[in-house]
Amino acid sequence: MKKISIVIPAKDEEKRLPGFLKTVIEYCAQSRNSYEIIIVDDGSQDGTAKAALDLRGDFAALKVLSLERNHGKGYAVKQGFLNAQGEIVLFLDADGSTSPREIERHLNWFDQGYDIVIGSRVLKDDASRVDALPHRRWMGSIFNFLVSNLLIKGIKDTQCGFKMFRSSVVPVVFGPMRLEGFGFDLEVLYLAQKNHLRTKEVAVNWTHVDGSKVHLFKDSLRMFGNILEIKQWHG
């Protein structure tokens, strides 16, 4: 039996979070593994924290960390990871685009010696389906091409919101992490490669959910700048 920590960063997710969180709680409750769930409220202006706390009666190992102001997804994930108690620590997006069922479908890779397991919307297998908007697929392909040539080799999708880490490597990749926004995945994976950590990219089921906080063009431009920052900081 493994102890697993699920970190869910959330900003202004009062409407979408409860439904997905109920799904996660149901999944954890029926598992043979031991779970804790950590919701990190990233300076929300709505009732995100209360919506999560209202479900604590359904799952005792549910924690809510409330940040005083909005920092960004990367900062929120880092705070959740630094407070996690599990031997495997992972994050899921609050919109529910990736189901918690992907967790135990891919846990076996840790038994095979991998340190990090990351979901991919590019890789395909018979058990996975990706439902993404065409323009997001197109932009994602361009972005991933640039990333693979300028920063991180051998990974086809750096931005999927499903990543699992052996707890022993969390300080290695999240300790030096400086990016607080959506580009944090790039920094974490770059640090993983720099420290020769074994990373497995796996196909996952992923579904587009309306209401994304990502501004496709603006955030893509910002992440191109993040590539240069990462090479300057850690190169």
Side-chain angles (χ1 to χ4, degrees):
M1 183 178 76
K2 290 182 170 62
K3 183 171 183 180
I4 302 167
S5 299
I6 301 175
V7 174
I8 303 177
K11 180 184 183 296
D12 297 332
E13 292 287 1
E14 178 183 11
K15 294 182 179 179
R16 294 195 299 184
L17 180 62
F20 179 55
L21 185 51
K22 288 177 183 177
T23 299
V24 176
I25 288 172
E26 290 172 2
Y27 179 83
C28 295
Q30 56 81 39
S31 174
R32 292 176 298 176
N33 291 301
S34 173
Y35 281 89
E36 69 170 351
I37 303 170
I38 303 174
I39 306 297
V40 185
D41 176 16
D42 187 21
S44 296
Q45 299 299 307
D46 64 1
T48 295
K50 182 179 184 303
L53 288 169
D54 286 346
L55 292 173
R56 195 153 57 179
D58 297 335
F59 193 73
L62 171 63
K63 304 175 184 177
V64 179
L65 301 180
S66 293
L67 306 182
E68 292 185 0
R69 65 175 180 87
N70 174 244
H71 290 265
K73 181 182 178 182
Y75 185 89
V77 170
K78 181 174 181 176
Q79 298 312 304
F81 272 41
L82 294 179
N83 282 275
Q85 301 295 315
E87 61 187 281
I88 304 297
V89 188
L90 65 104
F91 67 86
L92 295 173
D93 286 343
D95 62 6
S97 54
T98 305
S99 166
R101 290 191 294 273
E102 299 297 330
I103 299 170
E104 292 178 22
R105 190 159 83 92
H106 297 296
L107 273 181
N108 63 301
W109 293 111
F110 291 105
D111 296 330
Q112 297 181 42
Y114 286 93
D115 301 301
I116 303 170
V117 179
I118 66 170
S120 175
R121 297 160 295 185
V122 177
L123 296 181
K124 301 183 185 303
D125 64 21
D126 293 338
S128 302
R129 178 183 175 184
V130 173
D131 175 21
L133 298 177
H135 69 283
R136 287 187 174 271
R137 286 181 184 268
W138 179 73
M139 284 292 289
S141 296
I142 295 173
F143 181 75
N144 290 327
F145 174 79
L146 291 173
V147 169
S148 65
N149 281 277
L150 297 175
L151 190 68
I152 302 166
K153 303 295 184 183
I155 293 178
K156 298 183 180 297
D157 183 5
T158 60
Q159 301 309 118
C160 181
F162 173 76
K163 292 181 174 68
M164 301 195 290
F165 300 76
R166 195 184 302 276
S167 62
S168 59
V169 308
V170 168
V172 177
V173 293
F174 281 90
M177 189 190 90
R178 295 170 63 173
L179 290 175
E180 296 189 345
F182 290 111
F184 83 98
D185 302 78
L186 299 173
E187 189 173 10
V188 164
L189 293 174
Y190 182 81
L191 287 167
Q193 286 197 344
K194 185 177 179 180
N195 286 281
H196 308 291
L197 302 179
R198 293 191 66 196
T199 301
K200 179 68 178 179
E201 187 175 14
V202 297
V204 295
N205 289 285
W206 189 92
T207 303
H208 170 76
V209 179
D210 290 334
S212 173
K213 301 294 193 303
V214 178
H215 299 282
L216 192 60
F217 184 72
K218 182 174 70 175
D219 286 322
S220 293
L221 286 178
R222 183 178 291 116
M223 285 192 285
F224 291 146
N226 291 156
I227 292 173
L228 302 177
E229 290 177 316
I230 291 165
K231 296 190 79 168
Q232 179 182 355
W233 294 336
H234 308 296

